[in-house]
Amino acid sequence: AELFSGKAAVSNLPLEAHVQTVGASLRALTSLWSGLRQISGTTSIDASLKGTLERPLWSAKLSADCPVIHFSSDRAPAIGDLHTSLDFDGKQLRISTLRADLGGGSLQIQGSAGFEDPSNPTLNFNAKAHEVLAVRTRDLALRLNGELFLRGPWKHATLTGNAAAVHSRVQRDIEVLPLTALRTGFTKEQRSPAKPWFTFQRAPFSDWKFAISLASTPGDPILLRGNRLRGTADAEMRLEGTGAVPTLHGAYRTSDLVASLPFARIEVSRGRVWYTRDQPFQPHVDFSAETEVRNHRVRLYLFGSPEAPSLSANSEPPLSENELLTLLTTGTLPSDANENSQALASRAATVLFQEFSDKVLTHNDNKERFSALRRFSLDLSALNSRTGHQESRLTYRLQDNLFLIGEIGADGDFAGRLRYVLRFR
């Protein structure tokens, strides 16, 4: 009875416990947490409790091997081949090994957490990523190499480091029909802010800060792909802000970008897509391009939002903007309507077929659709400027100003010629 008399006597009661499991299955976790869809693997735990009731002393060692972890949310990538080893001595949690395959890449984490203040432990972790899938949407697939550092108290930690894109791509399709998809002149439109790639609405993650440099890897640029686009881009951006309100600013610049319309191949001489702090995750575009259609040298300037861009165009010899847009999308001028209605119908059918094939037929993204045939141009419904009759024309660009042309008329006649273009600026 004297043993339990008084508060001090109870608080000084000695404690001693030991728990050990070897190769315990992890499948039961799916019934304890709805966020898990599937988990397989085993874990081993060796935990001890000593000290007194007032001052318990914990120590534990844990190791786990999980071949597969699938989360209920499709936004979370699957984790495979997870191996972890950690220990806890009451004042510090140390992760000696945490290695896993994440979205087809690998992730390694090491570090420690100090528990001098149990309600707000101090974090000191670093993570190394190799080809980890960071973002996967309809328009963007981003894989990263890099190293990140998580420092500071649990409630207000800071995530810093650098990450480089590898094997990444941006997908952007272009609709040729209707012709109003190409808009001339600049008009401001009310656009809803773009959604961030991620947000955290609950503390402490909503209060965490970010300062991460994002860039492309030298020799491995970001691929730009689409039904009518091929090219690459180099990026240099910064991810900042907090978990609740992340921000992205910076730009990526294009190189070797080619857009293929039914009757024109447009080569982009300068291209930039950038993000600003005041409109994070809302891209802005600025492109300058040139092409040649039916002896007209056309210059294009595209700017604004990718969803509703504005287009400015001029040509040599000069044409109005409406005539230029018609020429680019149909290969004809409005004045041709009075010359050969059959040729115009053939061109319209060509546009419709290409639009249909882009939507229905699949293409092998591992092959460059334009690189091998970039110098060739085939027009199955060309108009002979001398006779006004319909013909098929194959043009091969020998140099920037020198072209080799082969023409086959409707009656089977063949003609070949060289054309040298002089441009005065």
Side-chain angles (χ1 to χ4, degrees):
E2 294 180 359
L3 180 63
F4 296 97
S5 62
K7 181 178 180 181
V10 175
S11 62
N12 290 327
L13 283 176
L15 298 176
E16 185 172 356
H18 182 255
V19 176
Q20 184 176 15
T21 62
V22 178
S25 176
L26 295 172
R27 292 183 179 178
L29 293 178
T30 56
S31 60
L32 300 177
W33 182 33
S34 60
L36 277 178
R37 180 184 302 170
Q38 178 186 1
I39 183 171
S40 63
T42 59
T43 182
S44 298
I45 302 175
D46 188 351
S48 298
L49 174 62
K50 296 182 180 181
T52 64
L53 190 62
E54 183 180 11
R55 295 185 177 180
L57 299 176
W58 289 90
S59 64
K61 293 183 179 180
L62 180 145
S63 61
D65 298 291
C66 304
V68 176
I69 301 177
H70 285 171
F71 297 96
S72 299
S73 173
D74 293 333
R75 297 180 60 183
I79 298 176
D81 199 20
L82 170 66
H83 303 279
T84 183
S85 176
L86 57 88
D87 63 89
F88 176 66
D89 62 7
K91 294 184 178 180
Q92 191 175 52
L93 171 67
R94 291 177 293 271
I95 298 179
S96 55
T97 303
L98 197 161
R99 183 177 66 253
D101 292 338
L102 186 64
S106 62
L107 179 67
Q108 297 185 30
I109 299 177
Q110 291 181 323
S112 62
F115 288 86
E116 289 78 7
D117 181 2
S119 63
N120 192 23
T122 302
L123 307 179
N124 184 12
F125 292 98
N126 69 287
K128 293 183 178 180
H130 177 69
E131 298 185 6
V132 168
L133 182 62
V135 180
R136 180 173 56 191
T137 66
R138 179 182 178 183
D139 300 326
L140 176 64
L142 179 64
R143 291 186 176 273
L144 298 175
N145 287 343
E147 189 168 9
L148 301 178
F149 304 91
L150 182 60
R151 303 284 189 268
W154 167 257
K155 294 180 180 179
H156 299 90
T158 301
L159 185 63
T160 62
N162 59 83
V166 292
H167 309 315
S168 301
R169 69 171 56 208
V170 174
Q171 183 77 24
R172 177 64 63 178
D173 289 342
I174 298 177
E175 296 285 349
V176 176
L177 296 177
L179 297 183
T180 53
L182 296 175
R183 305 180 182 184
T184 60
F186 180 75
T187 56
K188 288 188 176 181
E189 299 185 5
Q190 296 294 330
R191 293 176 294 166
S192 59
K195 294 183 179 180
W197 297 336
F198 66 92
T199 56
F200 298 103
Q201 301 301 325
R202 296 183 179 180
F205 306 112
S206 59
D207 297 324
W208 283 13
K209 296 180 180 179
F210 300 101
I212 303 173
S213 298
L214 303 173
S216 54
T217 300
D220 185 10
I222 300 173
L223 301 181
L224 304 179
R225 294 294 182 264
N227 61 337
R228 300 187 181 280
L229 287 176
R230 286 294 187 275
T232 59
D234 296 309
E236 186 174 356
M237 294 182 285
R238 291 276 297 178
L239 178 64
E240 297 178 343
T242 64
V245 187
T247 64
L248 180 71
H249 64 93
Y252 56 86
R253 294 171 173 81
T254 65
S255 58
D256 301 326
L257 181 61
V258 176
S260 177
L261 297 179
F263 301 100
R265 181 176 293 110
I266 302 174
E267 298 184 0
V268 178
S269 57
R270 185 194 77 238
R272 187 167 71 104
V273 179
W274 74 97
Y275 302 83
T276 60
R277 285 188 176 93
D278 58 337
Q279 291 183 312
F281 300 95
Q282 178 64 61
H284 305 268
V285 300
D286 181 12
F287 288 91
S288 296
E290 290 188 356
T291 186
E292 182 163 340
V293 185
R294 296 187 59 185
N295 299 331
H296 288 271
R297 190 69 174 180
V298 183
R299 299 182 186 87
L300 304 169
Y301 305 95
L302 187 71
F303 50 95
S305 165
E307 290 76 16
S310 297
L311 180 67
S312 175
N314 59 70
S315 70
E316 297 175 1
L319 293 172
S320 68
E321 287 190 338
N322 289 333
E323 289 176 322
L324 284 177
L325 294 182
T326 304
L327 181 64
L328 290 174
T329 53
T330 67
T332 63
L333 294 172
S335 59
D336 295 334
N338 298 325
E339 297 182 10
N340 194 319
S341 59
Q342 182 180 359
L344 294 181
S346 178
R347 287 173 180 268
T350 301
V351 175
L352 290 172
F353 175 77
Q354 290 199 16
E355 287 290 288
F356 175 79
S357 63
D358 286 335
K359 296 178 183 299
V360 176
L361 302 180
T362 58
H363 303 284
N364 187 351
D365 290 334
N366 296 324
K367 296 181 180 179
E368 296 295 333
R369 206 188 322 176
F370 305 134
S371 59
L373 300 176
R374 181 172 293 182
R375 292 180 177 270
F376 284 96
S377 176
L378 178 63
D379 191 347
L380 298 178
S381 54
L383 293 176
N384 191 303
S385 59
R386 299 182 303 275
T387 65
H389 295 159
Q390 183 179 356
E391 64 185 11
S392 298
R393 181 183 303 156
L394 178 64
T395 303
Y396 180 74
R397 186 179 63 191
L398 299 172
Q399 296 178 354
D400 287 342
N401 296 341
L402 184 61
F403 299 83
L404 177 62
I405 301 174
E407 299 171 337
I408 301 178
D411 53 1
D413 294 339
F414 174 81
R417 56 191 174 94
L418 283 172
R419 178 163 61 92
Y420 187 83
V421 179
L422 293 176
R423 298 187 178 91
F424 302 93
R425 300 182 182 272

